[in-house]
Amino acid sequence: MEKPSASLWRKIGARYNIIGSECKTCGAKHFPPRIVCRKCGRETKMVDKKFTGNGEVVSFTKIMVPPDMFKDEAPYIVGIIALDEGPKVEGHIIDNGKAIEIGTKVRAVFRTMYVDGDEGPIYYHYKFEPV
Amino acid sequence: MSGIVGYGAHVPIYRIKVEEIAKVWGEDANAIKAGLNLKEKSVPGRDENAATIAVEAARRAVFHSGIDVKKLGAVYVGSESHPYAVKPTATVVIESIMASNNIMAADLEFACKAGTAGVQISMGLVDSGMIEYGMGIGTDTSQGRPGDALEYTASAGGAAFIIGREKKEIIANIIKTVSYTSDTPDFWRREGAAFPTHSGRFTGEPGYFRHTTNATKLLFENTGLKPADFAYAVFHQPNGKFPVMVAKQLGFSDAQIAPGLLTPLIGNTYSGASMLGLAATLDISKPGDKIMVTSFGSGAGSDSFAIEVTDNIDSKRSRITGVRKLMETNKKYVDYATYLKDKDFIKGR
């Protein structure tokens, strides 16, 4: 078991609910959340932005040789999802029997991402599934 | 008087057939299917547990209810497969539905009836005026020892019910709830034990039938209602046979229990079972229908509810994902080896 870092709970907003940032100066939306707007720089006025989790597949790949933490998950699919609100996010795509292609519509679901052995914490995270 | 203002359900997409399990243990699949009145059961994905199922159900319940989730005053999660021994499932739920942190939350355990206990607690808090809305969730990824009879039935799923008191929001009034409880060791799992133990064929009468029957009769006495007054009835369903038998004993017809009898298709979802049955029944209910629900949890106890559907059910109908639809969409069958892997039953990894 690895001693969990503070990100286990500090990043819950992003991991559970896809909460990113929106710049009130220029309207740019960001995920993961940012302190400074990529467009506005010092004019940044960031607020939290809850994304719906709906989007479409921009790119994907099937992982056959996973890192140790996902050794029992392979093969699994990881992709880049363009959220309906704009930002592109990386995420696991669940194989629910529906074809996964570029352009496939997906929605976010709530799943475990990683369970740290028998005694460590359980990391919950959004994943995507084809709709 | 409090009532249901919204509900939601979740059933994993994975299934394993009775035949697939029976062939491993050299048993007669047809005899088991007939004996249990069950053909397959749901299996959680590797990335699903009682908390993720609770969250999916809770999110659907919040959407269905249309309430301001920040006004939710309590969340109680009933399960016998909470992912942590110490660390609440309910806290994962409140964060994932973006509820206020000014909220009461706790995990409950009472075998298969902890979810309905959560509904009763929520009703008490709402009726007393302590909170505006409360949520009771029943969720499980239940354990069946490989080779045991329970392996054919122990499955995964859950449902969440939001209780409120605003008349214009209530889709079903809860007319009355009663419970019948006794110390009956028919089924148990000790701290640290991976699988439950049960008293085999002797659990039925002193456990399921005694408590289900007594709670239901108590409900009849308290309300003056009788089986013919109900459009539908839902019972806890550890297999597909017991609820049919107890319904008949109490005077309900097969037609009354048909909408809520899900175990033949998804197995026993434990804390989720009677609540999923109620959700499936509400899916097809009309205003004015009365529904009788009696849960059962080993150990043992039963909670019985008399529910009457209101006119508001139709206006929220488009916001619900029906239980039968959830059960039938994207079903994926797994073989026994995959089932063992996904349940983490394989040693040495």
Side-chain angles (χ1 to χ4, degrees):
Chain A
M1 182 191 83
E2 280 184 31
K3 196 172 178 182
S5 68
S7 69
L8 171 63
W9 54 271
R10 281 184 181 161
K11 292 182 178 176
I12 274 178
R15 287 175 172 166
Y16 287 16
N17 287 307
I18 319 185
I19 296 174
S21 315
E22 180 173 9
C23 176
K24 299 312 278 184
T25 304
C26 71
K29 299 176 182 69
H30 306 276
F31 189 86
R34 293 175 61 89
I35 295 168
V36 177
C37 177
R38 209 180 274 133
K39 284 186 183 172
C40 296
R42 68 172 60 184
E43 302 301 320
T44 291
K45 286 181 184 167
M46 286 295 206
V47 295
D48 285 350
K49 168 69 181 173
K50 162 89 173 77
F51 295 100
T52 59
N54 298 323
E56 69 176 48
V57 176
V58 173
S59 182
F60 67 97
T61 186
K62 185 181 274 191
I63 305 292
M64 304 300 291
V65 184
D68 266 2
M69 67 188 296
F70 297 135
K71 65 179 181 181
D72 291 336
E73 317 297 324
Y76 60 92
I77 296 168
V78 172
I80 295 171
I81 309 299
L83 297 174
D84 286 352
E85 298 91 341
K88 294 184 178 70
V89 305
E90 178 271 343
H92 285 226
I93 305 174
I94 293 169
D95 175 10
N96 67 0
K98 293 189 175 177
I100 299 168
E101 297 169 342
I102 290 171
T104 297
K105 297 286 183 191
V106 294
R107 71 178 191 101
V109 294
F110 188 82
R111 295 290 187 271
T112 63
M113 179 61 80
Y114 172 55
V115 179
D116 188 357
D118 291 332
E119 296 188 9
I122 299 168
Y123 293 76
Y124 294 100
H125 212 282
Y126 63 81
K127 289 185 179 180
F128 295 95
E129 72 170 10
V131 292
Chain B
M1 182 175 66
S2 57
I4 299 163
V5 300
Y7 65 95
H10 182 73
V11 180
I13 62 173
Y14 303 99
R15 300 284 184 279
I16 188 165
K17 289 179 181 288
V18 166
E19 286 87 346
E20 184 64 25
I21 300 171
K23 78 178 181 191
V24 173
W25 302 110
E27 295 187 300
D28 181 346
N30 286 331
I32 289 162
K33 285 163 75 174
L36 296 174
N37 184 23
L38 175 141
K39 64 176 206 173
E40 58 197 39
K41 69 168 188 174
S42 64
V43 178
R46 279 195 64 77
D47 55 3
E48 289 181 289
N49 62 23
T52 66
I53 290 171
V55 167
E56 294 289 353
R59 284 177 171 175
R60 289 186 175 116
V62 170
F63 178 71
H64 178 238
S65 70
I67 67 164
D68 174 1
V69 74
K70 299 294 183 194
K71 292 182 178 176
L72 197 60
V75 170
Y76 295 100
V77 183
S79 180
E80 61 167 69
S81 47
H82 290 292
Y84 289 90
V86 179
K87 165 77 183 80
T89 306
T91 57
V92 178
V93 173
I94 64 153
E95 292 288 357
S96 68
I97 59 175
M98 298 179 71
S100 165
N101 293 118
N102 301 328
I103 191 168
M104 288 180 265
D107 289 359
L108 306 175
E109 186 281 314
F110 197 142
C112 297
K113 83 160 192 80
T116 54
V119 170
Q120 289 179 323
I121 294 169
S122 297
M123 288 173 64
L125 292 168
V126 168
D127 282 334
S128 71
M130 282 181 70
I131 60 172
E132 202 163 336
Y133 303 103
M135 183 188 284
I137 303 173
T139 176
D140 259 308
T141 53
S142 50
Q143 316 88 7
R145 191 187 304 273
D148 186 85
L150 286 181
E151 192 177 25
Y152 292 102
T153 55
S155 67
F161 285 79
I162 299 176
I163 306 301
R165 61 171 169 270
E166 280 295 323
K167 206 173 174 183
K168 63 179 186 297
E169 296 176 344
I170 291 175
I171 61 157
N173 288 309
I174 301 177
I175 301 166
K176 186 77 184 174
T177 181
V178 296
S179 295
Y180 183 85
T181 311
S182 79
D183 187 2
T184 304
D186 56 335
F187 172 102
W188 62 89
R189 181 166 65 85
R190 294 276 301 278
E191 179 71 33
F195 300 105
T197 302
H198 56 85
S199 303
R201 71 184 67 174
F202 302 107
T203 63
E205 273 309 321
Y208 181 85
F209 288 97
R210 175 188 170 202
H211 293 81
T212 304
T213 302
N214 281 323
T216 307
K217 286 181 174 171
L218 190 61
L219 186 76
F220 292 160
E221 284 171 24
N222 274 260
T223 59
L225 296 167
K226 54 189 184 304
D229 296 322
F230 293 96
Y232 303 107
V234 180
F235 293 97
H236 176 55
Q237 33 206 286
N239 50 55
K241 188 173 68 174
F242 279 16
V244 175
M245 289 169 65
V246 83
K248 197 170 187 178
Q249 289 170 8
L250 286 162
F252 291 98
S253 69
D254 287 350
Q256 283 171 296
I257 63 167
L261 186 59
L262 309 177
T263 289
L265 298 173
I266 58 171
N268 177 10
T269 53
Y270 281 55
S271 299
S274 55
M275 296 175 77
L276 276 168
L278 172 59
T281 304
L282 285 169
D283 285 346
I284 54 101
S285 294
K286 299 185 298 296
D289 284 346
K290 287 192 181 68
I291 303 169
M292 201 289 303
V293 184
T294 301
S295 63
F296 169 71
S298 287
S302 280
D303 304 326
S304 201
F305 300 81
I307 293 168
E308 184 168 24
V309 178
T310 74
D311 293 341
N312 298 327
I313 197 161
D314 287 333
S315 60
K316 293 188 183 179
R317 190 91 69 188
S318 63
R319 301 167 71 87
I320 197 73
T321 308
V323 176
R324 298 270 174 180
K325 186 179 174 191
L326 279 173
M327 287 165 51
E328 286 155 16
T329 306
N330 303 339
K331 247 183 348 181
K332 286 189 78 173
Y333 288 95
V334 297
D335 59 20
Y336 192 77
T338 305
Y339 166 76
L340 290 184
K341 180 190 168 197
D342 286 351
K343 294 285 285 180
D344 278 333
F345 288 167
I346 297 177
K347 301 287 183 196
R349 288 291 291 169

